[in-house]
Amino acid sequence: PASVLLATVEQYLHRFEPAVRRLEVVVQRDPSQAQAWLTLASLQRVLGRLDASDRACAALASLGVQPYGEACRAENLGLRGRFDEAREALDQLLRRHPSAQHQAWLATTLAELEQRAGRPEAAEAAWRRSLAAERGGYALVGYADHLLDLGRAQEAWTLLDDAGDADGPLPRRAIAAQRLG
């Protein structure tokens, strides 16, 4: 519905509270709105409200929309520092959902988890897995950030060489160029 689209725009503009309120109205009216639950779970997570995010994840999972409900829960486990449980859940989802789209998204989620867990090698493997499934967008920028964090500016530069001048890659290329002199 239009309300979910408006909430997504509000989220993009970092107007999180209005987006949450809008989505809560949507799911009260129609609890079968999977996209509303997923966006609500993400917003609550961003706001640090993991219990509220868990409730939205559970509602999403109850709709049978997979792998989104389970991945949603795994992200929250990781944010609570329960890295092993979250990693196992994501690994299972990666095995059960072989499509390139799911592999790219789930591997990106796993890469971010591994970074938070302080496991740079595992994070790198997950970033590479994501990019092998679907090169571009968020994973490309996330992996570039990972390389820059590790002091590997040349690799970040090379990774982004053909990424164009979009808002995501361009600042990372500038950072890599500055570090490379």
Side-chain angles (χ1 to χ4, degrees):
S3 293
V4 176
L5 181 58
L6 287 171
T8 303
V9 170
E10 287 171 328
Q11 177 185 19
Y12 177 79
L13 296 173
H14 291 196
R15 297 187 62 227
F16 301 134
E17 291 296 346
V20 165
R21 288 191 298 275
R22 186 178 307 278
L23 291 168
E24 286 174 341
V25 169
V26 170
V27 297
Q28 282 176 346
R29 276 194 225 139
D30 183 0
S32 71
Q33 290 293 321
Q35 185 60 54
W37 284 117
L38 182 61
T39 305
L40 183 59
S42 297
L43 283 164
Q44 296 289 27
R45 187 179 302 120
V46 166
L47 292 168
R49 300 175 189 152
L50 295 182
D51 290 341
S53 181
D54 284 341
R55 288 190 293 277
C57 292
L60 181 63
S62 75
L63 296 175
V65 183
Q66 294 304 339
Y68 305 102
E70 291 176 53
C72 182
R73 182 178 174 274
E75 282 189 78
N76 288 352
L77 285 171
L79 289 171
R80 287 184 169 98
R82 295 166 59 183
F83 300 120
D84 292 338
E85 289 176 73
R87 184 180 300 115
E88 178 58 32
L90 290 169
D91 282 340
Q92 285 180 19
L93 290 170
L94 281 160
R95 285 191 296 274
R96 291 194 327 248
H97 298 277
S99 76
Q101 177 188 5
H102 287 140
Q103 289 289 303
W105 169 61
L106 292 166
T108 294
T109 303
L110 180 60
E112 291 173 332
L113 169 81
E114 297 294 12
Q115 283 182 251
R116 281 192 300 278
R119 295 173 29 119
E121 298 85 10
E124 180 152 352
W127 284 122
R128 288 180 182 271
R129 183 176 186 173
S130 177
L131 289 172
E134 188 176 273
R135 183 172 171 85
Y138 186 82
L140 194 64
V141 169
Y143 185 34
D145 283 343
H146 178 69
L147 293 170
L148 290 168
D149 287 346
L150 295 175
R152 295 163 55 191
Q154 183 62 56
E155 290 174 71
W157 175 265
T158 302
L159 176 71
L160 298 172
D161 190 42
D162 63 350
D165 292 336
D167 290 349
L170 185 61
R172 276 96 179 158
R173 285 177 50 93
I175 291 167
Q178 181 182 35
R179 291 182 184 172
L180 293 169

